[in-house]
Amino acid sequence: MFKRRRASTTQPAVEVTELSDEEWRLAAKRGLARLNLTFDQLAEQARKRRFQDTEALKLWQVLGGERP
């Protein structure tokens, strides 16, 4: 299940959501499906540094290049 915690109270509020490996894989696959992309297509966009839109770029940044 999701664990939520707040960063230091001396810093601006930041919410961190920790996911299990399986939750991360499912979320990554949903993100790819939402963008109608495969991981390989997204990786190719990253290789060329030409993303179809900002959502694809953000998903690549979240994935960190790691295949779900």
Side-chain angles (χ1 to χ4, degrees), residues 3 12 17 21 40 44 48 60 63:
K3 295 179 188 174
T17 301
D21 290 344
D40 291 334
E44 180 67 10
K48 292 179 178 179
W60 182 254
L63 295 179

Side-chain angles (χ1 to χ4, degrees), residues 1-40:
M1 194 67 196
F2 297 111
K3 295 179 188 174
R4 295 186 187 269
R5 61 182 173 170
R6 293 220 176 246
S8 169
T9 57
T10 61
Q11 297 294 324
V14 175
E15 191 169 301
V16 176
T17 301
E18 295 180 16
L19 302 175
S20 69
D21 290 344
E22 184 60 23
E23 289 168 328
W24 182 88
R25 277 190 293 281
L26 290 172
K29 288 179 180 181
R30 279 194 303 267
L32 288 166
R34 184 173 38 88
L35 295 175
N36 198 29
L37 291 171
T38 65
F39 178 83
D40 291 334

